[in-house]
Amino acid sequence: MAKIMVPEQVFPGFKIINQLNDSQLDNLIGYLNNLDIGKFYGDIAKDLSELLIIDGDDLLRTLLSFTELLSGENVDIGVLSKNLAESYKEFSRVGINTKETNKLKANLLQILSNFNKIQLTDRVREYKVENSNNFRDFKLLTDLRFMQTEEDAKSKNYGIILHKLYIEYQNSIPRNELHLHVGIDDLIELKAEIEKAIERDKMLRESFSGDIKLI
């Protein structure tokens, strides 16, 4: 009996890993080793889809399922690869033969041997999602609206300048958008706060530049 239970939701990713050819596996290992730590999961899945011509969401879901298994001390990735392959064979009931099972073990071993940046990315996300909503993008849109009535037609036109702050954020559900109307005083205050945040960021990066690599 298998020593690990592979859940059904990651079966598709195991199938992908089992079917990777040598070129795809080399490309995947190269991608994992050059991954930008902290990259959004959606972007990683898209990269995997384009790089390997597979379902990137299925593969990423399976890769992330390994992070907990690798979190303990002195994990033997050779044993872990063997246990994962045998568990997939038993619980998925796909009927893979010994040769295919050995290929899956070998592919898993290579992936798990180059898993450090995926693990760090997962840890970065854990810290980020301590707050329920996480900033992704923003834009400031400015518009001029003229205000006029029939009585004003031959006199002065009135106008109002409108600013709309567009914010895109991400949490445990897909992307969300928020639109806020802001005035000139709000923009000035927002600018001042952003400048303060930039200065704090610079100060922290300078203070810790010799000790840690800040993401």
Side-chain angles (χ1 to χ4, degrees):
M1 179 177 285
K3 296 181 179 180
I4 295 176
M5 181 176 177
V6 171
E8 184 177 351
Q9 60 264 34
V10 297
F11 286 174
F14 271 88
K15 183 177 180 180
I16 290 171
I17 293 172
N18 196 30
Q19 293 178 344
L20 291 175
N21 59 40
D22 291 343
S23 177
Q24 287 175 309
L25 185 60
D26 287 343
N27 288 338
L28 175 58
I29 297 305
Y31 180 80
L32 294 178
N33 284 325
N34 291 286
L35 179 66
D36 291 332
I37 296 172
K39 193 168 189 177
F40 283 102
Y41 286 168
D43 294 332
I44 295 175
K46 182 181 177 182
D47 289 344
L48 293 174
S49 296
E50 295 175 351
L51 179 65
L52 306 175
I53 318 300
I54 49 87
D55 189 314
D57 289 312
D58 284 343
L59 179 56
L60 180 61
R61 187 179 301 112
T62 301
L63 294 178
L64 293 173
S65 73
F66 301 153
T67 56
E68 189 68 26
L69 297 172
L70 292 166
S71 61
E73 294 184 5
N74 302 319
V75 176
D76 187 324
I77 58 175
V79 173
L80 179 58
S81 300
K82 177 177 179 290
N83 289 338
L84 285 170
E86 292 178 351
S87 176
Y88 171 67
K89 179 180 181 179
E90 179 178 334
F91 290 105
S92 67
R93 299 177 183 175
V94 292
I96 59 175
N97 58 35
T98 301
K99 181 179 179 181
E100 292 170 324
T101 304
N102 288 335
K103 180 185 177 185
L104 178 57
K105 292 177 188 176
N107 287 357
L108 285 167
L109 180 60
Q110 284 210 55
I111 290 169
L112 295 176
S113 298
N114 297 275
F115 211 69
N116 184 54
K117 288 193 173 180
I118 280 284
Q119 281 185 285
L120 289 174
T121 295
D122 189 57
R123 288 176 62 187
V124 167
R125 184 180 184 277
E126 284 184 10
Y127 289 129
K128 284 183 175 179
V129 297
E130 287 178 356
N131 299 313
S132 59
N133 298 322
N134 300 289
F135 178 83
R136 185 175 174 91
D137 192 14
F138 85 100
K139 297 182 183 70
L140 271 168
L141 308 174
T142 302
D143 189 16
L144 174 62
R145 302 283 180 88
F146 289 107
M147 313 290 290
Q148 189 182 65
T149 66
E150 292 183 4
E151 295 178 358
D152 296 324
K154 295 182 180 180
S155 60
K156 285 186 177 181
N157 289 327
Y158 296 93
I160 181 172
I161 297 175
L162 300 175
H163 303 282
K164 182 182 289 186
L165 176 61
Y166 160 86
I167 298 174
E168 183 179 303
Y169 62 97
Q170 186 168 338
N171 52 24
S172 57
I173 59 177
R175 296 181 190 176
N176 298 275
E177 295 178 359
L178 176 66
H179 298 263
L180 300 173
H181 288 286
V182 294
I184 185 64
D185 291 339
D186 301 315
L187 290 176
I188 292 170
E189 185 175 353
L190 182 61
K191 177 176 179 287
E193 289 300 315
I194 291 173
E195 289 175 346
K196 288 178 185 177
I198 291 172
E199 288 304 313
R200 288 195 295 269
D201 186 280
K202 287 180 179 178
M203 183 175 64
L204 288 171
R205 289 181 185 278
E206 290 171 358
S207 298
F208 293 97
S209 61
D211 302 310
I212 57 176
K213 182 179 180 180
L214 293 173
I215 302 167

